[in-house]
Amino acid sequence: MYYAIIAEDVDNSLDARMQARPAHLERLKVLNSEGRLLIAGPHPVNDSEEPGPAGFSGSLIVAEFASLQAAKSWADEDPYFAAGVYKSVLVKPFKKVLP
């Protein structure tokens, strides 16, 4: 089943986010190579794909896991969480309808 991992950043997270980004992306690449990643990306602070120094307010990952607990465990090990980028992380089941 798919699970949505919805993370909210702490204020002024851009520097910490950029430091932890390579390790964060490596984990996502593994999910993608296993065919389990539906979508992943950050939420820009402003209405722009490239927010510049304003940075990001959080992230969304939708991926397939064996259970809610497995998704929560995976999210808890995210390098962004360890680096203090994320203020909070919500994990919940996701049902893909379209496309």
Side-chain angles (χ1 to χ4, degrees):
M1 177 170 195
Y2 285 113
Y3 294 89
I5 300 169
I6 306 158
E8 184 179 353
D9 283 17
V10 298
D11 291 337
N12 302 309
S13 63
L14 187 58
D15 288 341
R17 179 180 272 272
M18 296 313 292
Q19 293 272 334
R21 188 171 188 261
H24 171 78
L25 291 178
E26 281 305 313
R27 297 180 80 231
L28 292 173
K29 288 177 185 177
V30 170
L31 287 179
N32 192 48
S33 71
E34 294 172 347
R36 298 169 48 205
L37 184 63
L38 184 61
I39 192 169
H43 301 285
V45 167
N46 53 33
D47 190 14
S48 172
E49 287 189 26
E50 298 297 332
F56 301 92
S57 64
S59 300
L60 170 66
I61 299 166
V62 179
E64 187 175 12
F65 293 93
S67 66
L68 178 59
Q69 187 55 50
K72 286 180 178 180
S73 294
W74 187 91
D76 287 345
E77 295 173 9
D78 194 295
Y80 282 171
F81 201 60
V85 173
Y86 290 158
K87 174 174 32 179
S88 64
V89 178
L90 173 65
V91 181
K92 54 196 221 177
F94 179 85
K95 181 179 177 182
K96 181 182 177 206
V97 175
L98 293 171

